[in-house]
Amino acid sequence: MTVTASSASRAAEILSRPVALNGLTVPNRIAMAPMTRMFSPGGVPDEDVRSYYARRAAAGVGLIVTEGTYVGHESAGQSNRVPRFHGEEQLAGWAKVAEAVHAAGGTIVPQLWHIGMVRKQGDPPYAEAPAVGPSGIRLDGTESSGKAMTQGDLDDVIGAFAEAAAAAERIGFDGVELHGAHGYLLDQFLWAGTNRRTDAYGGDPVARTKFAAEIVAAVREVVSPDFPVIFRYSQWKQEAYDARLAETPEELEAILAPLAAAGVDVFHASTRRYWLPEFEGSDLNLAGWTKKLTGRPTITVGSVGLDGDFIRAFVGEGAPVQGIDELLDRLERDEFDLVAVGRALLQDPEWAAKVLGGRLEELKPYDAAALKTLS
Ligand SMILES: Cc1cc2nc3c(=O)[nH]c(=O)nc-3n(C[C@H](O)[C@H](O)[C@H](O)COP(=O)(O)O)c2cc1C
């Protein structure tokens, strides 16, 4: 049990350290991972959304990344219950969410989202809009009825991201996260599996990154220089967990360097298990490699606090590699700067308070039923 006490106090001490993300100081190292909820009828986040995020901020989450929220483009999404980041009523709702999170002592960024070729049947208000993407190809390689984006489409989407980012700053958010992960629109450009373009937006990794980099530059242009711009990306895609953008650090650098040059302040490297090495010959995970290659702060994510083993390590019944000490060691080595927590924070809104307060014995084992309530 001495292991427990020392792990608990070490976790409290290390995770409580503030961190600067461009002009924003986040009070500790715990971030809430973006998680779609579909609790915003008409795309308007209301009291339910406010209290959902404010509860986690009050319990110590340092940085909240909201669920993905659609930018103002007719093909951006497909559900009328996913919040939108455009429109008067929708933005008024979001302003109150930011205010509630700040009142609870937290910081918050919206995750700006365009789903691209993942779009199937759409709800109002844009039920008839086509699915759009780099080449009109779905993640499974089928062509279906998707549309390859024209230069006009690209310009419209770039403008929609920039407008949403400007709105985020205007209504009181602390930064923005651009959703470039998991096989959605930006990732469809980054990934050769969905990007077969023969113009300047397709071909080698640098060309495939051009669209995302133009979005970053357009966002950077309309927000203050110290307003943090976070870029989330992943190797894996929904429907294709084994897909990879980059097989080597050199290929990864070809993608990340133009994004950093365009103005990304922070990378959020999405993995499903944070402890897995990304490339042979090094223990670094994807966030670790991202920091090494770009010099930018990074956020790691993936099964933190979920695993039964992780909890057993907390309470001193053994110390498997994915226990808290592994995470703390990596943080201490500056491999990454923040730790995003997804499902464990759905399960237990008090998760951060328990970890930061050294009350590890109060953590509840994860139960997938938490996904059904999302309260
Ligand atoms: C219900 C649910 C919804 C999610 N929605 C999003 C999303 O909108 N945007 C995103 O980038 N990732 C999304 N994710 C992925 C999470 O942000 C996170 O990367 C993943 O759950 C792994 O973290 P965890 O193991 O701590 O849960 C979602 C995950 C879950 C479980």
Side-chain angles (χ1 to χ4, degrees):
M1 286 298 160
T2 47
V3 174
T4 313
S6 71
S7 290
S9 62
R10 193 167 165 243
E13 195 273 310
I14 293 173
L15 293 168
S16 295
R17 295 176 189 164
V19 60
L21 305 179
N22 193 350
L24 174 70
T25 300
V26 177
N28 60 53
R29 303 305 177 104
I30 300 177
M32 179 169 180
M35 283 176 288
T36 291
R37 296 180 71 228
M38 303 208 273
F39 277 50
S40 299
V44 180
D46 60 11
E47 162 51 28
D48 166 85
V49 177
R50 244 178 356 255
S51 56
Y52 168 81
Y53 289 118
R55 187 177 304 140
R56 272 116 183 135
V61 171
L63 174 70
I64 287 171
V65 183
T66 72
E67 62 206 286
T69 169
Y70 299 147
V71 297
H73 181 261
E74 60 169 12
S75 297
Q78 62 186 355
S79 165
N80 209 22
R81 293 182 61 83
V82 167
R84 292 177 224 147
F85 216 82
H86 59 100
E88 205 174 317
E89 214 188 328
Q90 289 79 5
L91 291 176
W94 276 122
K96 288 188 193 157
V97 174
E99 198 181 303
V101 166
H102 290 153
T107 65
I108 181 165
V109 302
Q111 188 190 48
L112 304 180
W113 192 21
H114 191 305
I115 71 173
M117 289 303 303
V118 172
R119 184 180 156 87
K120 291 185 178 119
Q121 185 68 47
D123 278 351
Y126 306 117
E128 304 304 323
V132 301
S135 307
I137 296 170
R138 293 199 183 278
L139 294 185
D140 63 4
T142 58
E143 301 209 1
S144 79
S145 57
K147 179 187 176 201
M149 292 170 80
T150 62
Q151 186 64 51
D153 296 327
L154 298 178
D155 293 342
D156 286 348
V157 171
I158 291 169
F161 272 93
E163 267 179 39
E169 185 170 24
R170 192 172 66 242
I171 66 175
F173 279 80
D174 298 295
V176 287
E177 176 169 291
L178 309 178
H179 194 342
H182 306 167
Y184 295 106
L185 182 66
L186 276 56
D187 196 22
Q188 289 158 23
F189 274 82
L190 298 177
W191 189 42
T194 36
N195 184 344
R196 313 270 171 83
R197 294 177 80 101
T198 52
D199 63 3
Y201 294 94
D204 67 15
V206 174
R208 296 199 305 270
T209 307
K210 183 174 162 62
F211 179 53
E214 286 182 354
I215 289 174
V216 172
V219 164
R220 194 75 270 166
E221 183 100 9
V222 296
V223 298
S224 303
D226 62 352
F227 190 72
V229 175
I230 305 172
F231 190 90
R232 192 173 218 218
Y233 82 99
S234 62
Q235 296 264 38
W236 66 272
K237 324 290 160 213
Q238 63 144 320
E239 298 173 38
Y241 284 152
D242 296 331
R244 285 168 81 80
L245 287 182
E247 295 292 346
T248 62
E250 292 71 29
E251 281 177 18
L252 187 60
E253 188 170 18
I255 293 167
L256 298 179
L259 294 170
V264 170
D265 298 303
V266 181
F267 285 96
H268 188 172
S270 172
T271 47
R272 296 170 62 229
R273 296 179 188 89
Y274 80 86
W275 59 88
L276 296 182
E278 191 55 45
F279 301 114
E280 268 180 30
S282 160
D283 281 346
L284 291 177
N285 72 7
L286 188 63
W289 273 106
T290 302
K291 184 163 185 178
K292 182 182 163 91
L293 294 170
T294 65
R296 298 290 194 274
T298 58
I299 306 172
T300 197
V301 66
S303 303
V304 174
L306 260 199
D307 196 300
D309 288 341
F310 187 91
I311 297 198
R312 275 198 297 282
F314 268 163
V315 299
E317 292 171 13
V321 290
Q322 63 272 50
I324 187 73
D325 284 311
E326 169 86 9
L327 184 72
L328 300 175
D329 290 347
R330 286 174 185 257
L331 263 170
E332 286 264 76
R333 288 200 297 268
D334 264 344
E335 183 173 332
F336 39 72
D337 300 271
L338 281 126
V339 176
V341 181
R343 288 164 290 171
L345 264 173
L346 285 185
Q347 162 86 32
D348 185 356
E350 300 287 317
W351 193 91
K354 290 174 184 173
V355 173
L356 294 171
R359 296 185 282 128
L360 305 181
E361 70 287 354
E362 293 177 30
L363 292 172
K364 301 173 195 159
Y366 175 71
D367 174 355
L371 286 181
K372 298 208 174 75
T373 54
L374 299 176
S375 59

